[in-house]
Amino acid sequence: MKKYLTLIFSVFFLSSCSRVKPPEPFGPVPSGRQLAWHELEYYMFVHFIVNTFTDKEWGFGDEEESVFNPTDLDCRQWAKVAKDAGMKGIIITAKHHDGFCLWPSKYTSHSVKNSSWKDGKGDVLKELRSACDEYNLKLGIYLSPWDRNNASYGSPEYLTYYRNQLRELLTEYGDIFEVWFDGANGGDGYYGGTKEARKIDNKTYYDWTNTHKIVRELQPFAVMFSDAGPDIRWVGNESGMGSQTNWCLLNKDSMYPGGDFAGILGEGHEDGKYWVPAEVDVSIRPGWFYHQNQDSLVRSPENLMELYYSSVGRNSSLLLNVPPDRRGLLHENDIKSLLEFRELLKKEFATDLAKENIATASATRGGGYEASNVNDGNPETYWTTKDSQTTGDLIIDFGKETEVNRIVIQEFIKLGQRVQEFKVSALSNGNWQNLIDGTTIGHKIIRKFPVIKATKIKLTICKSKACPVISNLELYRAPGL
Ligand code: FUL
C-alpha cells in the first residue's frame, strides 16, 4: 500500500512540477463553430437559379417558373467534383435576388414546384443534401434577403416570409454549416407586378438580431456570414483578394449587411472586440451565374493557385463559385481547371521540409511549450514564451543546405490572434538574409519567396500583443522559382 501511495505521490509531484500553465487567451477568441469553419479553408459556391436560363446576373423577379428547366441536373456530379477538387463543402443559392426558390417552399408558388423540371416534383436542396452526404461534404445555404419577386418586399410582412423560409431550410435539410446573408440591394424589381423601386433601410429593415436568433436556435453549429458577421465577414471585394494584414477581429456593433464597409473588411480591426474572420468569395468565371459566352473565360489552374495564395494564404477561407450550366451540370472547362489546380496544389506542398528537422527557439515558456511543437504535425501543441516576452526567434535547422521557397505559419488561435509583425530570414552561405517582412498571421498564412539554399530558416516575431503562440510552421520547395 505504502509503495503505491509513494508512486502516486511522486507521479503527481513530478507532473505538477513539470507542468507549466498555458498562456491565458488574449482578446477575443473563436467559438467552437468558428474553429470548425477555420479548418475548412476551401469550399464551393454554387450559383444556380432562373438566371442560368435567362443569361442574367440579377433576375428582375418576373421570370416564369417554367424557365427553370435543367435537362440533366445532377447534384452528385457537383459533389464529386467538389470532393475531387479538395473542397470541404458546398454553399447553394437556395434563393437569389429574383426570389425563385430551388426547394418547394410552402410559402410561395415561385419555386421549383411550378417549374417543368421533374414535373414540379423536384427539390434541388434535397438532392444536394444527399449528394453532400454521399461525398462527405458540408452543406451551406445562401438565402437572398432582397427578393424582387415578392409583393410584400419592403413591408414587415416580408420579414415573416423571409424567416419562414429560413426556418424551412434550417429544419428540413439536415446540418447546415454556413448561412450566407447577402447585403446587395438594387431597389427596383417586379414585386408582385408593381414593377417599382423599393428602398429599404439596410440598417433597420431586416432586424438582423432576431433573424440571427433563428439560426442559432435551429442550427447552433452553423456560422453566419455577411458584410458584418456575426460569425464570418466579407473580405470587401469579389476579386479573390484577401488582405495581407488580416485581423480575425472586428468592431461590428455598428455594422450591418449592405453598409459601406468594404474599405475596412479586408484588414478587420486590430483592436476588434469580436472574432469575425474573413471569407474570400470569388467566381471561377467572370459572372456568378453560368453564361455560355464565358466558357472560354474560366480561370486557369495557375490563376486558381494565385487565388489560393491570396485567400487561404492570407488568413481567409476560399469560397470559390462554380456555376452549373443549363444542363444542371458543372461545365467540363471548369472541372478541368479545378482538378488541374488540385494537382498543382499537391505539387506545391509536396514535402514539408520543416518536419523531421530540429526546431529551436531563442526562448520558451518551458514545460511542454518548446519549439519542437511547431513541426510535430500536431495542431494542438504550440511554441510559446513566458507571458512577459512578446518577441522571439524560432529556427528550423536543416542540418545541410536545402532549397526552399514557401513558408506556412499558423498561430494557435484558440488563445487569440496576437502577432502584429514578423519576419522570415535564411542562413545562406554563412549570412542571415531577410526573406519576408510580415504583419498578421492568425489561422494560417502561406508566403512565397524566391528559392534560396539555406541551412536554417528563422521566423522572428518582432511584435505581438502578448506572448506569441505558434502551433505550426511548414517549409516547402515548390516547383519553379
Ligand atoms: C452579391 C450578389 O449581388 C451577386 O449576385 C452574388 O450572389 C454575390 C456572391 O453576392 O452581393
Side-chain angles (χ1 to χ4, degrees):
M1 185 62 181
K2 195 175 163 211
K3 214 168 91 189
Y4 281 118
L5 282 177
T6 316
L7 185 69
I8 289 167
F9 177 75
S10 29
V11 167
F12 178 75
F13 181 74
L14 283 175
S15 60
S16 59
C17 275
S18 59
R19 199 187 303 136
V20 173
K21 271 180 81 183
E24 291 293 324
F26 188 90
V29 293
S31 62
R33 63 177 85 86
Q34 287 172 318
L35 277 173
W37 170 89
H38 274 289
E39 295 303 318
L40 302 179
E41 293 186 354
Y42 178 37
Y43 39 96
M44 188 185 274
F45 216 176
V46 169
H47 275 67
F48 183 57
I49 218 84
V50 287
N51 298 344
T52 312
F53 304 88
T54 56
D55 223 6
K56 288 188 183 166
E57 278 291 308
W58 280 6
F60 192 66
D62 60 349
E63 296 77 14
E64 294 288 333
E65 290 82 27
S66 57
V67 157
F68 183 83
N69 194 17
T71 50
D72 208 5
L73 184 121
D74 184 4
C75 295
R76 294 182 64 239
Q77 185 239 22
W78 311 352
K80 181 172 186 329
V81 171
K83 189 74 185 179
D84 292 348
M87 295 169 163
K88 301 287 172 47
I90 299 181
I91 300 180
I92 174 110
T93 51
K95 176 182 92 167
H96 202 250
H97 308 326
D98 55 80
F100 181 84
C101 302
L102 289 183
W103 81 105
S105 172
K106 280 201 287 285
Y107 302 99
T108 179
S109 55
H110 196 51
S111 81
V112 280
K113 72 183 170 203
N114 285 312
S115 74
S116 15
W117 178 61
K118 294 199 164 173
D119 293 328
K121 304 215 165 46
D123 181 344
V124 181
L125 267 290
K126 199 169 161 199
E127 293 192 15
L128 185 57
R129 167 82 269 164
S130 68
C132 283
D133 288 346
E134 182 179 342
Y135 287 94
N136 194 20
L137 294 167
K138 297 191 178 297
L139 176 64
I141 51 156
Y142 168 117
L143 184 70
S144 172
W146 183 29
D147 188 323
R148 304 175 93 184
N149 173 265
N150 198 281
S152 67
Y153 184 77
S155 74
E157 201 187 326
Y158 171 75
L159 222 54
T160 308
Y161 172 76
Y162 185 74
R163 289 175 178 165
N164 280 337
Q165 293 202 317
L166 194 58
R167 281 196 189 90
E168 274 184 323
L169 290 169
L170 298 178
T171 49
E172 292 177 22
Y173 298 97
D175 289 343
I176 298 298
F177 86 98
E178 180 166 334
V179 182
W180 224 86
F181 294 123
D182 195 328
N185 190 317
D188 64 340
Y190 177 69
Y191 305 127
T194 57
K195 298 187 185 168
E196 58 191 8
R198 292 191 183 172
K199 286 275 171 224
I200 51 103
D201 179 359
N202 274 327
K203 207 169 178 174
T204 52
Y205 176 57
Y206 294 108
D207 177 21
W208 282 112
T209 312
N210 284 309
T211 303
H212 293 166
K213 282 186 190 155
I214 298 172
V215 181
R216 286 284 190 261
E217 179 205 324
L218 300 176
Q219 295 275 348
F221 296 110
V223 287
M224 288 181 259
F225 165 99
S226 87
D227 297 5
D231 302 316
I232 309 296
R233 73 174 195 265
W234 187 39
V235 76
N237 66 75
E238 293 179 341
S239 54
M241 290 302 289
S243 172
Q244 226 162 47
T245 296
N246 181 357
W247 291 99
C248 293
L249 311 176
L250 196 68
N251 287 319
K252 65 178 167 69
D253 283 336
S254 56
M255 295 172 74
Y256 48 89
D260 187 14
F261 310 117
I264 51 171
L265 289 171
E267 291 199 9
H269 292 122
E270 183 168 352
D271 64 350
K273 268 170 48 193
Y274 303 93
W275 190 271
V276 191
E279 178 184 81
V280 168
D281 62 314
V282 59
S283 187
I284 197 168
R285 290 164 171 253
W288 289 101
F289 288 92
Y290 176 83
H291 308 287
Q292 196 177 15
N293 63 6
Q294 296 182 352
D295 281 351
S296 60
L297 301 175
V298 174
R299 288 177 187 272
S300 66
E302 292 74 21
N303 184 276
L304 293 176
M305 180 66 92
E306 289 312 311
L307 282 186
Y308 188 81
Y309 274 100
S310 62
S311 54
V312 178
R314 291 185 176 175
N315 189 30
S316 304
S317 66
L318 174 55
L319 172 58
L320 181 64
N321 181 61
V322 192
D325 60 18
R326 290 184 183 177
R327 294 171 300 176
L329 297 174
L330 303 185
H331 190 271
E332 290 71 7
N333 295 0
D334 306 47
I335 298 175
K336 187 165 181 287
S337 228
L338 283 172
L339 299 185
E340 284 179 20
F341 163 53
R342 171 74 166 152
E343 289 311 306
L344 287 184
L345 261 186
K346 283 185 194 155
K347 288 187 194 139
E348 193 85 353
F349 304 108
T351 310
D352 175 10
L353 303 167
K355 222 172 184 171
E356 316 288 323
N357 277 310
I358 295 174
T360 55
S362 55
T364 87
R365 196 176 185 88
Y369 304 101
E370 284 74 26
S372 54
N373 289 337
V374 302
N375 61 346
D376 65 355
N378 180 353
E380 292 304 317
T381 60
Y382 50 85
W383 162 68
T384 189
T385 56
K386 293 199 164 63
D387 287 342
S388 54
Q389 192 157 0
T390 54
T391 58
D393 292 335
L394 194 59
I395 295 177
I396 302 289
D397 186 347
F398 296 132
K400 60 174 190 305
E401 276 203 331
T402 304
E403 284 196 355
V404 53
N405 59 357
R406 303 286 187 269
I407 187 166
V408 178
I409 314 170
Q410 295 187 267
E411 280 186 85
F412 188 73
I413 55 173
K414 281 183 188 169
L415 296 179
Q417 189 179 359
R418 298 160 174 245
V419 175
Q420 295 161 297
E421 272 174 45
F422 72 90
K423 62 184 183 189
V424 178
S425 44
L427 187 62
S428 182
N429 293 324
N431 296 316
W432 284 103
Q433 286 184 34
N434 194 36
L435 302 174
I436 290 171
D437 287 305
T439 53
T440 56
I441 299 177
H443 165 68
K444 182 184 275 185
I445 56 159
I446 315 174
R447 294 286 297 268
K448 298 180 183 181
F449 48 87
V451 177
I452 187 152
K453 268 191 191 159
T455 50
K456 294 180 182 180
I457 294 288
K458 178 163 70 182
L459 166 66
T460 303
I461 305 299
C462 314
K463 194 174 172 205
S464 180
K465 290 174 171 180
C467 60
V469 184
I470 305 295
S471 66
N472 189 36
L473 193 152
E474 296 166 24
L475 294 162
Y476 294 93
R477 166 57 167 109
L481 296 175

